[in-house]
Amino acid sequence: MEYPRPQLRRAQWQSLDGAWQFAYDDAAQWTQPGDVDFDRQIQVPYAPESQASGIAITDFHPRLWYARRVELGQTPRAGQRVVLHFGAVDYSATVWVNGQQVGRHQGGHAPFQLDVTAAIDGGVFQLALLAEDDPADMHKPRGKQDWLAEPHAIWYPRTTGIWRSVWLEVLNASHVSSLRWTADLNAWQIQLTASVAQPQPGQRLQVHLAIDGKTLSRDDCEVLGGQVARSILLPDPGIDSARDPLSWTPEHPQLIDATLVLVDAQGQVLDTVQSYTAMRDVAVDGNRFMLNARPYTLRMVLDQGYWPKSLMTATSAELKHDVEMIKRLGFNGARKHQKSEDPRWLYWCDVLGLCVWAEMPSAYGFSDATVDRVADEWKALVQRDLSHPCVVAWVPINESWGVPELPRAPRQVDFVQALYHLTRALDGTRPVIGNDGWEMPCGDIVAIHDYTNQPAEFVERYGSAEAVAHSLAHERPCRRKMVIADYDTRNRPVMLTEFGGIALVPHNHEHDQRKAWGYTLASDSADLLDKYRSFIGYVHQCSPLSGFCYTQLTDTFLEQNGLLTEDRQPKADLAELAKITRGAAVAQRIGPDNPFGYHPYWLAKTARQF
């Protein structure tokens, strides 16, 4: 999957990744692209701090200029629009086409698009971008990007400027501009909301849904007010054993292919897009997390999404490989930590079967600017990702980052609760975590971080309903209260969403072993397996827990507590790690020819070669 937006794909598009002109502007001496002295090249979409960019300068540089010549191949016809797409630019971007400013955007993780047709004359144009990113600003969403000159502890190199793909499309003026898919398993139907840009009278949207080339539904309706809202009933076999092959789970990731065709009043095709959805439902019911109306235990791993040479940017093949490795390790989910990941990663989670907790990159200080920036960007990210079947929970706040005085500051409590309700308003189909880790003032799931290095304590704290209630009231992992603001945790699922962090540092690792960081140390691969078996084994004994998230997937700079090295090599036997992760009851049902843990029906259907 190379198309940057997997759920709204067109056959014709043009990547603008590759070599761009580039210049630093630390003194803010230039205000127009024509004035800039471009003195080097950069490989987009890699940030200049990364080796993959060809620059690899990690110093503080708050202003960056980019430019390139764009050839469309042919001059757009009358009525067509040229739309530029930017996957992500950190933190604010100003864009010019042929010297004319065409738009601005703020938010380092959210995508944006610009209609640049009015600035183009012919099939060739000059594109320029100014990225501004103050490395000392602690009141904007920044995730794990370090504010110090060099990475320290659990913070990593900065990512400045363009760091996701840039691409363009030439579209008819009237085209499909957005899609939203929602499954309703109770009624056995798919709900579609589609928006059409510059709608005209008599237009119709034709929707074809299919599985493995077999038609499930054909729908045809008129576009009214630029919107189409449809509930598409599917053939319902009724009984679970017949419904299950049509449903999505990590063990059986069945997707429904969708083709949407926009036609005018005369039946002429104006736009054709490919998409997909799935019959998948998530909810909470008392103290259980529910997948497709059945209790489901989440076995997640913390995934930070960094690569040693390209930092936060990865190819589609690298993203796919990470999802495959997570499944090979025995997990059925991942919490993408302090990063909104590339939609192509979500695509591979949809295709290969992996539940995802989607998390907002944090600010660190609290202010009016924090409120505005976090809320605006979080809204954009939720709207970007809410149609992905793999996303099963939203995490707007982590460990009180951005709300540092949460237990003592009512305004900060109000902000966390406001983000919770905003998320529920944007998407009422998934659980929302109020503050993942501790100091929880709200939330649909009680999400606890506990980095004890004595794993037997997990049973003492979470091994019974009474122990959980006592721990929530009295225990303080990391010296923080678990619950604040009269948050009622009764009849809610409880999960251990960070723990472990066993560090095994290779002797030849480039980082000084004295600086390498983890919560618990292992001496070699055998010791890592023993410690991992102990941590996971005790967690599996805690029947009140509805799931867990182990820290972490890969080594990431000074954090050397991954099950994989930073170049994605296992630190211990992969099959044995997976057996431990799954627990005896699950592992005994999965043979060595099924490392992804698929249901036998899916394994037979797809005939996967591992």
Side-chain angles (χ1 to χ4, degrees):
M1 172 54 67
E2 296 301 329
Y3 196 93
R5 188 184 54 198
Q7 287 199 305
L8 205 167
R9 308 186 306 276
R10 294 184 174 91
Q12 300 299 319
W13 65 288
Q14 181 176 343
S15 173
L16 299 183
D17 292 345
W20 290 50
Q21 294 176 289
F22 183 79
Y24 290 117
D25 186 15
D26 298 346
Q29 61 180 315
W30 301 309
T31 59
Q32 299 295 321
D35 301 331
V36 179
D37 179 14
F38 289 101
D39 59 353
R40 64 191 78 193
Q41 280 195 341
I42 188 170
Q43 290 296 316
V44 168
Y46 300 105
E49 292 89 350
S50 72
Q51 296 177 44
S53 71
I55 294 179
I57 295 176
T58 59
D59 300 337
F60 294 134
H61 290 290
R63 283 170 62 93
L64 317 176
W65 286 91
Y66 298 77
R68 65 159 291 166
R69 185 174 183 265
V70 177
E71 296 184 12
L72 294 176
Q74 61 181 17
T75 303
R77 300 191 305 272
Q80 288 189 313
R81 316 302 297 177
V82 178
V83 180
L84 282 175
H85 299 268
F86 295 85
V89 180
D90 201 354
Y91 173 68
S92 66
T94 307
V95 182
W96 290 262
V97 168
N98 291 334
Q100 177 181 334
Q101 184 175 318
V102 292
R104 294 177 58 88
H105 180 263
Q106 178 176 280
H109 291 76
F112 64 99
Q113 65 183 48
L114 300 169
D115 185 332
V116 300
T117 312
I120 294 174
D121 182 13
V124 178
F125 65 89
Q126 191 69 19
L127 173 62
L129 180 142
L130 168 64
E132 298 176 277
D133 188 9
D134 180 358
D137 187 346
M138 306 293 277
H139 297 258
K140 66 184 177 187
R142 59 189 298 147
K144 285 294 194 83
Q145 298 183 60
D146 209 325
W147 56 94
L148 300 181
E150 296 296 330
H152 77 288
I154 62 170
W155 287 276
Y156 314 141
R158 288 167 298 284
T159 292
T160 308
I162 298 173
W163 64 280
R164 285 225 172 103
S165 288
V166 184
W167 49 291
L168 67 77
E169 295 174 301
V170 178
L171 306 171
N172 286 321
S174 190
H175 58 269
V176 177
S177 57
S178 69
L179 298 174
R180 175 172 180 167
W181 299 102
T182 307
D184 181 352
L185 270 65
N186 291 330
W188 205 249
Q189 64 184 8
I190 294 289
Q191 296 173 352
L192 166 65
T193 302
S195 297
V196 173
Q198 298 189 31
Q200 299 297 321
Q203 290 178 343
R204 304 188 68 82
L205 187 66
Q206 301 167 351
V207 182
H208 178 224
L209 302 181
I211 288 182
D212 304 327
K214 181 180 179 181
T215 296
L216 292 178
S217 174
R218 290 188 183 275
D219 189 73
D220 186 325
C221 67
E222 188 173 359
V223 178
L224 299 174
Q227 297 285 321
V228 170
R230 302 289 286 173
S231 294
I232 304 172
L233 289 170
L234 303 182
D236 184 4
I239 194 168
D240 281 0
S241 59
R243 276 185 166 194
D244 288 346
L246 303 175
S247 303
W248 186 98
T249 71
E251 296 74 31
H252 183 276
Q254 179 65 66
L255 298 177
I256 298 172
D257 296 319
T259 301
L260 298 93
V261 180
L262 178 67
V263 299
D264 64 16
Q266 289 73 45
Q268 180 179 349
V269 174
L270 300 174
D271 194 13
T272 300
V273 300
Q274 303 295 323
S275 186
Y276 65 88
T277 182
M279 294 300 288
R280 195 277 295 128
D281 174 76
V282 293
V284 297
D285 184 5
N287 65 349
R288 292 291 103 181
F289 174 84
M290 309 293 284
L291 178 64
N292 298 341
R294 299 292 181 268
Y296 191 83
T297 300
L298 288 171
R299 305 186 306 270
M300 298 188 293
V301 67
L302 196 75
D303 179 3
Q304 313 242 26
Y306 275 77
W307 287 262
K309 293 185 178 180
S310 58
L311 302 183
M312 292 204 298
T313 307
T315 66
S316 182
E318 289 169 330
L319 296 167
K320 179 184 180 183
H321 180 70
D322 271 16
V323 177
E324 291 176 333
M325 291 303 292
I326 292 170
K327 292 187 70 72
R328 287 180 183 275
L329 285 163
F331 297 101
N332 58 22
R335 178 171 160 230
K336 182 60 73 165
H337 186 43
Q338 286 302 291
K339 181 187 182 188
S340 176
E341 191 53 278
D342 191 314
R344 295 174 302 172
W345 181 80
L346 295 174
Y347 167 82
W348 288 118
C349 292
D350 291 334
V351 169
L352 297 173
L354 195 71
C355 292
V356 173
W357 281 25
E359 183 173 323
M360 176 66 189
S362 293
Y364 289 98
F366 181 78
S367 64
D368 291 350
T370 304
V371 172
D372 289 341
R373 292 163 166 181
V374 171
D376 287 348
E377 193 163 355
W378 179 237
K379 177 182 175 182
L381 292 172
V382 170
Q383 291 172 329
R384 187 197 73 172
D385 295 340
L386 51 72
S387 289
H388 283 279
C390 65
V391 177
V392 300
W394 302 110
V395 186
I397 294 286
N398 172 71
E399 290 187 348
S400 304
W401 293 355
V403 282
E405 303 301 325
L406 192 59
R408 297 166 293 279
R411 187 178 172 213
Q412 295 185 21
V413 171
D414 289 342
F415 180 49
V416 174
Q417 292 175 335
L419 284 174
Y420 166 80
H421 288 293
L422 171 65
T423 311
R424 295 285 299 172
L426 292 169
D427 175 25
T429 70
R430 294 173 174 92
V432 179
I433 287 72
N435 182 22
D436 203 302
W438 47 64
E439 297 174 348
M440 290 168 267
C442 58
D444 300 316
I445 294 172
V446 180
I448 300 168
H449 297 181
D450 188 339
Y451 280 107
T452 179
N453 58 11
Q454 302 296 321
E457 292 182 353
F458 291 141
V459 175
E460 298 172 11
R461 295 174 181 176
Y462 316 113
S464 68
E466 294 76 18
V468 170
H470 180 273
S471 296
L472 290 175
H474 301 290
E475 293 290 344
R476 293 195 178 192
C478 298
R479 300 177 296 172
R480 304 288 190 114
K481 288 183 177 181
M482 292 193 192
V483 176
I484 64 171
D486 298 323
Y487 171 39
D488 186 355
T489 60
R490 294 172 298 178
N491 293 316
R492 299 182 192 275
V494 178
M495 299 192 192
L496 191 60
T497 52
E498 283 190 32
F499 73 102
I502 306 167
L504 172 59
V505 185
H507 291 292
N508 62 350
H509 194 272
E510 63 176 311
H511 295 300
D512 189 321
Q513 285 190 306
R514 293 170 298 177
K515 294 181 181 179
W517 199 88
Y519 292 93
T520 302
L521 297 178
S523 57
D524 54 26
S525 292
D527 189 32
L528 173 63
L529 272 176
D530 286 343
K531 284 184 166 63
Y532 187 64
R533 185 178 293 108
S534 179
F535 272 91
I536 298 295
Y538 279 113
V539 171
H540 277 306
Q541 293 180 38
C542 299
S543 58
L545 296 180
S546 287
F548 63 80
C549 181
Y550 177 81
T551 302
Q552 63 179 335
L553 178 62
T554 71
D555 291 348
T556 312
F557 298 95
L558 295 181
E559 284 195 69
Q560 297 295 297
N561 49 15
L563 295 173
L564 311 176
T565 63
E566 62 184 1
D567 57 358
R568 277 54 179 176
Q569 297 302 308
K571 292 185 178 180
D573 182 76
L574 204 56
E576 188 62 26
L577 287 168
K579 182 178 178 181
I580 294 168
T581 302
R582 291 177 176 130
V586 175
Q588 68 182 356
R589 303 195 302 265
I590 298 174
D593 61 339
N594 185 16
F596 286 7
Y598 285 141
H599 188 283
Y601 173 85
W602 188 255
L603 200 62
K605 175 182 176 179
T606 58
R608 285 194 64 90
Q609 298 297 316
F610 298 99

